[in-house]
Amino acid sequence: MDLAVADSAVRQPETVNGFALSSYALPPRGPARTATLATALAPGGIPALGEWDEEACNWGRPGDLATLAELTEAFIGPGLEIVRAERQVVPRIQQPSEGHAVAVIARRPHDTLEGTG
């Protein structure tokens, strides 16, 4: 069992933040990709993430990278609102070529006034 994947799938942040960033470091596919990032946000908080684009990159094994649709859906699942979701061309430092990334910025809605009546 990959302990890093297991930890990120069950980790509960000790504090919540107004901003959370993840870049090119997400675990394999599934809810663990965004679970910790989403739970680390205060109401109104902004998560931003970038990953290599599985649909445009010609390296890595299937499932190693991410798709824009997959990451967008992963943020919508826990109730986040998508602010921006796009594909981007980015320089690759280790190799003389361009890479393709997906970037998603979302927002956790502010709490509603439930049960106040």
Side-chain angles (χ1 to χ4, degrees), residues 30-42:
R33 275 197 190 264
T34 54
T36 299
L37 199 57
T39 58
L41 294 171

Side-chain angles (χ1 to χ4, degrees), residues 27-115:
R29 285 193 151 86
R33 275 197 190 264
T34 54
T36 299
L37 199 57
T39 58
L41 294 171
I46 305 285
L49 68 88
E51 268 294 334
W52 294 114
D53 186 354
E54 181 167 274
E55 295 176 346
C57 292
N58 61 357
W59 50 273
R61 298 175 307 211
D64 282 351
L65 309 178
T67 68
L68 187 59
E70 172 187 3
L71 295 180
T72 301
E73 182 179 313
F75 274 147
I76 291 171
L80 302 179
E81 298 170 349
I82 302 302
V83 173
R84 187 173 186 172
E86 63 185 30
R87 286 191 167 88
Q88 300 176 346
V89 176
V90 294
R92 290 181 62 194
I93 296 169
Q94 291 93 359
Q95 299 179 7
S97 66
E98 294 178 331
H100 298 269
V102 290
V104 179
I105 300 171
R107 185 177 71 82
R108 176 173 292 290
H110 288 278
D111 292 338
T112 59
L113 300 175
E114 295 177 13

